[in-house]
Amino acid sequence: MSLLRLRKKGIVATPYKNFHIIVSPEYQAFGCLSANQLIPLLMEHLKISYYVCLLSAAELHGAAHQRPQTFQVMTNKRMRPIDCGRITVNFIFKKDLSYVPTQSFNVPTGYLMTSTPEATAIDLLLYPYQAGGINHIATVLSELVEVIEPQKLLVLVRSSAQNACVQRLGCILEKIDPYETKQKVACIKLLREHIQHIHPSYVSLIARDIKSLSRDKTWRIVVNTDTESDI
């Protein structure tokens, strides 16, 4: 049977040029494998470094209050989005992925590399537009903070040059109300001590020229918007 006929029957999909995959029966109604099964195959084919990031990573770590409409993947190569049946994958470019801590999830097609909960939290503040804005980030963090390990977060922020993201993260964590507060309290304590040590310049809570409401001296944040979680 020709490739074209197999594609018409939904048995084979071509999500990327010259890259064909067999679609198992349970996914044929979607026209493609699930994104978490597609990505390990595609990235191995292309020989590209990657990790699942932002809202998709948060969902894998259990922060699935608002499921993302697209699957988000960080790569060190600029790539156009993929639409395969009902599956959409958006790629976000980051020149160097080597310093981002990741972990693997077992999926039927291999291992899915994903940013750790701690790295995911930093990325959410580094890419606020792709993460749905400040209030959406606050909602995600309300669940994600429960699986963040404070000491791992501290190691990450100490090695990071993204001071503004760390300041915003600490400020937001103080405002959210997760179901369990133990992890939140521990994270805030370590982040507060870190900020006091490095004493960074003031930054705005969101990177837009909006009249400030106040200044948060703890996090050295110009509060130029209100923050509300949906939880």
Side-chain angles (χ1 to χ4, degrees):
M1 189 178 294
S2 69
L3 180 62
L4 180 60
R5 291 177 64 187
L6 289 172
R7 290 175 62 180
K8 287 183 177 180
K9 288 180 174 291
I11 299 173
V12 169
T14 306
Y16 200 83
K17 184 179 180 180
N18 298 324
F19 176 69
H20 313 289
I21 56 172
I22 296 174
V23 182
S24 51
E26 65 267 31
Y27 290 106
Q28 287 177 8
F30 296 93
C32 192
L33 291 177
S34 62
N36 62 3
Q37 294 188 42
L38 169 63
I39 289 302
L41 295 173
L42 178 62
M43 295 296 104
E44 174 62 25
H45 171 74
L46 297 175
K47 305 301 180 185
I48 293 176
S49 297
Y50 81 97
Y51 63 84
V52 179
C53 64
L54 301 174
L55 302 179
S56 296
E59 181 182 14
L60 287 168
H61 292 303
H65 179 71
Q66 294 181 334
R67 177 164 291 183
Q69 295 181 339
T70 64
F71 200 75
Q72 297 174 306
V73 177
M74 197 77 69
T75 66
N76 60 356
K77 177 182 177 180
R78 298 187 188 278
M79 296 178 62
R80 294 181 177 179
I82 286 177
D83 289 305
C84 180
R86 299 183 189 178
I87 304 301
T88 299
V89 180
N90 282 334
F91 297 97
I92 302 162
F93 173 74
K94 181 183 285 188
K95 186 176 181 180
D96 184 10
L97 307 185
S98 62
Y99 68 92
V100 180
T102 59
Q103 66 185 82
S104 62
F105 285 83
N106 290 328
V107 295
T109 54
Y111 296 97
L112 185 69
M113 301 309 299
T114 305
S115 56
T116 64
E118 300 78 26
T120 301
I122 297 295
D123 271 353
L124 289 170
L125 276 302
L126 188 58
Y127 300 91
Y129 177 77
Q130 291 90 337
I134 200 74
N135 288 334
H136 197 169
I137 292 171
T139 299
V140 173
L141 286 174
S142 295
E143 296 180 308
L144 185 64
V145 70
E146 296 177 18
V147 294
I148 289 176
E149 295 187 30
Q151 288 296 334
K152 288 184 178 180
L153 180 62
L154 180 61
V155 170
L156 181 59
V157 301
R158 281 178 172 172
S159 63
S160 173
Q162 305 296 336
N163 289 337
C165 294
V166 177
Q167 291 166 255
R168 290 166 180 150
L169 175 61
C171 184
I172 293 172
L173 286 179
E174 278 201 327
K175 297 177 184 297
I176 62 176
D177 187 22
Y179 294 119
E180 299 290 340
T181 61
K182 182 180 178 180
Q183 296 296 96
K184 168 188 165 177
V185 171
C187 288
I188 289 174
K189 179 179 182 294
L190 294 178
L191 290 178
R192 185 187 296 119
E193 291 172 353
H194 174 72
I195 294 300
Q196 290 174 348
H197 176 70
I198 65 173
H199 200 67
S201 300
Y202 273 87
V203 294
S204 57
L205 186 54
I206 57 173
R208 286 194 289 175
D209 187 16
I210 300 175
K211 185 177 180 181
S212 64
L213 303 177
S214 62
R215 285 198 170 204
D216 187 318
K217 295 181 180 179
T218 299
W219 303 107
R220 300 184 64 78
I221 286 284
V222 177
V223 182
N224 58 347
T225 186
D226 292 322
T227 306
E228 295 181 1
S229 166
D230 292 338
I231 297 179

